[in-house]
Amino acid sequence: MGSEWRQYEEVFPRIQKSKIDIVSIECHNSNVPLDLMELVRGKKMMVGAIDVANNNVETPQEVANTLRNALEFVDIENLYPSTNCGMAPLSRELARAKLSALSGGAEIIRKEFGCSANKMIKKN
């Protein structure tokens, strides 16, 4: 597979045809090419903008950059800012700092695109 994780190329077309309505993908500091999200365009996407595999706290601007890059392949109303994976291994202090950055980055994107939290993420 090399440096890119392309295994999603096989499963995303199946997910696109399925009743699955939300897909999660790790994006920040990941080897997953963002363009693979095009294969599930129209689905809700949990875009991992926080790397939980290290102890570095992202800045809100880094989070916003990851989300901004994902918006090339995800409609803003289907964008769900999230972490790359679970945060259980992290200390509470580190997890809170990373979640604060996630919130700050999402807010930057909301302001840039002139949408409220409810418009950026449709509520069911």
Side-chain angles (χ1 to χ4, degrees), residues 7-18 36 39-40 43:
Q7 65 268 33
Y8 293 107
E9 279 179 310
E10 293 180 33
V11 73
F12 275 6
R14 293 181 193 140
I15 290 174
Q16 181 62 16
K17 294 176 185 174
S18 76
L36 292 180
L39 297 172
V40 288
K43 300 280 187 182

Side-chain angles (χ1 to χ4, degrees), residues 39-93:
L39 297 172
V40 288
R41 186 177 285 276
K43 300 280 187 182
K44 297 172 188 169
M45 291 295 300
M46 292 176 61
V47 174
I50 296 290
D51 182 358
V52 298
N54 68 54
N55 291 334
N56 299 326
V57 177
E58 294 79 1
T59 66
Q61 193 58 49
E62 287 174 309
V63 171
N65 287 340
T66 299
L67 299 175
R68 209 176 283 113
N69 291 335
L71 284 170
E72 184 176 342
F73 309 104
V74 179
D75 298 327
I76 196 159
E77 66 271 9
N78 290 333
L79 179 69
Y80 286 69
S82 67
T83 61
N84 280 353
C85 196
M87 298 179 80
L90 303 179
S91 72
R92 185 173 296 195
E93 180 180 310

Side-chain angles (χ1 to χ4, degrees), residues 102-114:
L102 181 64
S103 176
E107 184 61 25
I108 289 170
I109 295 299
R110 285 186 194 103
K111 286 179 180 175
E112 278 181 21
F113 287 85

